[in-house]
Amino acid sequence: MQLKRYECVVTLCEIPPDSGGGTFTLLTIFSQVITDVTIPTLAWKKDKGITIIWFPLFKLFPVLLTIVIMWAVCGILTVTEVLPSGHPARTDVKLNIIEDAPWFRVPYPGQWGAPTVSVAGVLGMLAGVLACTVESISYYPTTARMCAAPPPPLHAINRGLGTEGLGCVLAGLWGSGNGTNTFGENVGAIGVTKVGSRRVVQWAAGLMIVQGVIGKLCAVFIIIPQPIVGGLFCVMFGMISAFGLSSLQYVNLHSSRNLYIIGFSLFFPLVLTRWLSANAGVIHTGVDALDAVLQVLLSTSILVGGIIGCFLDNLIPGTDEERGLAAWAKEMSLDALGASDEGDTYDFPVGMSIIR
């Protein structure tokens, strides 16, 4: 889990202005400026045959359009040798991945041998799971807000976390080398594309399964130049941050108490995690497993910030109205949210009586 986090940071730090800047510039134009522009497109209708329709291309596919255009630009710059050898934006940097990838490969449990269990490994993964659980709990209501859905009730949050745990078990059996949790970039993609349909997620899951079996197809997506991915992350992580900060609408932002808590909770975790990454191995308790757990927990800025904010909010005196508790309780009641005459928004299509 931590490897994924570090890779994202490295990618963002290596964005050259020629491709990364172009990526988030195009994505901003497509997703925010010209969303209402429609493109004439040929379509087939049973009653009219071939006809011309006005298709909202930029509203539905801003991310895909950005990737395709910038990938093509990087390809042209690579062929014309504008980009020097080894430049991260070159499209031939990872071509060997396609050559080495097998056409077909079916993964199976225990493919790397029998699973091994150690105290240090278990405690380290528990720390990672705790950090990712905190992230997932914050992503669920954020996603609901993006999709204009009711805030998720407790039973839906429980099922979500349980499903992530099941994914971690399956990942361990298959030996994938990582756990499974809510991917923040997908949350950002919902905010950018305005597409929150479950059908999209289901089709994406099917595509992931196909990629896992057809190695060449998976390799094609891996060779996307890093600056393009980094440019996308700039926009998507920004969307996640903005939706997270939007929950502050319930608190009194004119209160110096609240401003102190918000400012310290946002800034101190960034400083702490940066200091820990620059001073690896600074934690020495005498127990290696405990050192690893503390390193993971204290390196998770969202966890550190959440704990500090929660502690200060309950330590420093303040009224319920000032803290936003009254407005939050009214808006985010977890008792029967999502329920309607047609059923619960977060129910499965079938089998809910058995699950309950």
Side-chain angles (χ1 to χ4, degrees), residues 265 268-270 272-273 297-309:
S265 301
F268 178 74
L270 299 177
L272 178 62
T273 53
L297 293 179
L298 295 178
S299 298
T300 306
S301 57
I302 190 173
L303 179 62
V304 176
I307 292 176
I308 292 176

Side-chain angles (χ1 to χ4, degrees), residues 10-353:
V10 171
T11 302
L12 290 172
C13 293
E14 294 180 350
I15 302 176
D18 48 12
S19 52
T23 299
F24 56 71
T25 299
L26 281 182
L27 185 55
T28 301
I29 294 174
F30 291 159
S31 64
Q32 303 299 323
V33 180
I34 58 174
T35 53
D36 295 330
V37 176
T38 54
I39 304 297
T41 308
L42 293 177
W44 167 264
K45 292 186 178 181
K46 185 179 295 185
D47 54 342
K48 298 181 180 179
I50 298 178
T51 183
I52 296 178
I53 63 172
W54 293 90
F55 186 70
L57 180 66
F58 302 109
K59 178 181 291 187
L60 295 180
F61 303 108
V63 176
L64 183 60
L65 274 176
T66 301
I67 293 176
V68 171
I69 293 175
M70 289 309 303
W71 203 349
V73 170
C74 289
I76 295 173
L77 296 178
T78 300
V79 173
T80 56
E81 296 296 335
V82 173
L83 297 175
S85 178
H87 194 285
R90 289 183 65 96
T91 55
D92 58 358
V93 173
K94 302 178 181 178
L95 284 180
N96 62 303
I97 296 179
I98 296 181
E99 298 173 357
D100 298 338
W103 274 105
F104 296 99
R105 183 179 181 278
V106 180
Y108 55 90
Q111 56 186 328
W112 312 120
T116 58
V117 179
S118 65
V119 175
V122 171
L123 292 179
M125 281 302 293
L126 282 177
V129 167
L130 176 61
C132 291
T133 299
V134 174
E135 290 184 351
S136 296
I137 293 176
S138 67
Y139 286 147
Y140 294 161
T142 300
T143 304
R145 184 185 296 273
M146 289 179 176
C147 299
L154 289 177
H155 67 81
I157 295 176
N158 291 338
R159 287 203 310 271
L161 295 177
T163 303
E164 292 184 12
L166 177 61
C168 290
V169 173
L170 296 177
L173 291 176
W174 263 260
S176 63
N178 61 277
T180 301
N181 77 310
T182 305
F183 198 44
E185 288 75 5
N186 290 337
V187 180
I190 294 176
V192 172
T193 62
K194 315 294 191 301
V195 177
S197 172
R198 295 173 182 172
R199 285 284 182 267
V200 176
V201 178
Q202 292 165 358
W203 279 100
L207 179 60
M208 294 295 178
I209 294 175
V210 173
Q211 287 181 350
V213 176
I214 305 177
K216 298 290 186 184
L217 177 61
C218 181
V220 170
F221 289 90
I222 293 177
I223 67 173
I224 296 176
Q226 279 192 351
I228 296 178
V229 179
L232 294 175
F233 281 1
C234 284
V235 176
M236 293 181 180
F237 277 116
M239 290 294 297
I240 297 172
S241 301
F243 274 97
L245 291 173
S246 67
S247 62
L248 295 177
Q249 64 183 294
Y250 300 101
V251 307
N252 182 6
L253 293 179
H254 296 287
S255 167
S256 60
R257 168 197 181 275
N258 292 340
L259 294 178
Y260 176 85
I261 295 174
I262 294 170
F264 188 74
S265 301
L266 286 176
F267 188 75
F268 178 74
L270 299 177
V271 175
L272 178 62
T273 53
R274 186 82 177 214
W275 181 78
L276 286 175
S277 63
N279 299 272
V282 71
I283 300 177
H284 292 289
T285 63
V287 181
D288 292 340
L290 181 59
D291 293 345
V293 171
L294 292 177
Q295 181 72 30
V296 171
L297 293 179
L298 295 178
S299 298
T300 306
S301 57
I302 190 173
L303 179 62
V304 176
I307 292 176
I308 292 176
C310 181
F311 175 75
L312 292 179
D313 188 48
N314 288 277
L315 176 66
I316 303 175
T319 64
D320 288 350
E321 288 74 17
E322 185 181 18
R323 299 168 64 188
L325 295 178
W328 179 267
K330 181 179 179 181
E331 181 73 16
M332 302 291 184
S333 174
L334 296 177
D335 294 332
L337 284 176
S340 64
D341 296 336
E342 300 178 357
D344 196 312
T345 303
Y346 296 93
D347 278 355
F348 292 148
V350 293
M352 282 305 301
S353 58

